[in-house]
């Protein structure tokens, strides 16, 4: 029986290998879908639009990596300090959670101002992470049916 107020709550370890494989699949799919969309945008619209989609996809990949690393660090720290009354989190992991939005915002602004890449094309590229997550999730669902 578990109780949230109980300091003696049992910690169950979970095998993270299947989740790590899905995370790698999402990271790869983000890049692959971004490159495919960038090539399509290049042929359908212009070099600048294609570059914007590719830049957005790369920013989405960096965003995903920072989020993964920050959450892994927070999970490790909280698990290691499970019996402690006060949990101390690594400051760089908290920066990783917040700083990724700052990185995306500043990068998009600088690229738009200095290189004239359309903002909308970079936003479309950022959607590559969502498409990759949906694709990886569908893969996991269909694979479980076998």
């Amino acid at each position: 029986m578990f109780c949230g107020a109980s300091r003696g709550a049992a910690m169950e370890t979970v095998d993270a290998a299947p989740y790590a494989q899905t995370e790698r699949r999402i990271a790869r799919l983000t890049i692959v879908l971004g490159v495919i969309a960038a090539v399509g945008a290049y042929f359908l619209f212009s070099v600048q639009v294609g570059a914007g989609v590719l830049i957005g996809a790369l920013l989405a990949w960096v965003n995903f990596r920072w989020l993964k690393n920050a959450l892994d660090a927070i999970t490790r720290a909280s698990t290691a300090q499970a019996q402690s009354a006060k949990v101390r989190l690594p400051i760089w992991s908290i920066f990783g959670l917040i700083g990724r939005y700052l990185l995306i915002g500043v990068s998009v602004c600088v690229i738009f101002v200095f290189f004239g890449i359309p903002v909308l094309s970079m936003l479309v590229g950022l959607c590559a992470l969502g498409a990759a997550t949906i694709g990886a999730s569908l893969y996991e669902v269909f694979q479980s049916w076998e």
Side-chain angles (χ1 to χ4, degrees):
M1 177 193 282
F2 296 101
C3 178
S6 172
R7 293 194 69 185
M11 294 294 293
E12 180 182 328
T13 58
V14 177
D15 181 27
Y19 306 113
Q21 184 179 9
T22 302
E23 289 169 352
R24 286 190 303 272
R25 186 174 294 121
I26 290 171
R28 280 192 312 263
L29 275 174
T30 300
I31 296 297
V32 168
L33 292 175
V35 168
I36 291 170
V39 169
Y42 167 74
F43 285 116
L44 291 175
F45 300 104
S46 69
V47 173
Q48 289 182 319
V49 173
V53 172
L54 184 61
I55 289 167
L58 292 175
L59 286 173
W61 180 80
V62 170
N63 175 34
F64 179 71
R65 301 308 300 175
W66 276 25
L67 177 64
K68 179 197 173 305
N69 292 338
L71 290 178
D72 286 348
I74 289 171
T75 302
R76 282 191 305 273
S78 60
T79 303
Q81 302 172 32
Q83 301 303 324
S84 176
K86 184 176 180 181
V87 176
R88 306 186 109 248
L89 298 175
I91 192 73
W92 65 268
S93 63
I94 295 171
F95 173 75
L97 290 174
I98 298 167
R100 59 198 180 93
Y101 293 117
L102 181 66
L103 170 76
I104 290 172
V106 169
S107 298
V108 168
C109 286
V110 167
I111 292 167
F112 173 71
V113 169
F114 290 110
F115 298 107
I117 302 293
V119 174
L120 186 58
S121 66
M122 289 185 274
L123 293 177
V124 168
L126 285 167
C127 293
L129 178 59
T133 304
I134 291 169
S137 299
L138 289 174
Y139 177 81
E140 295 295 327
V141 167
F142 291 130
Q143 185 183 20
S144 69
W145 285 354
E146 295 175 356

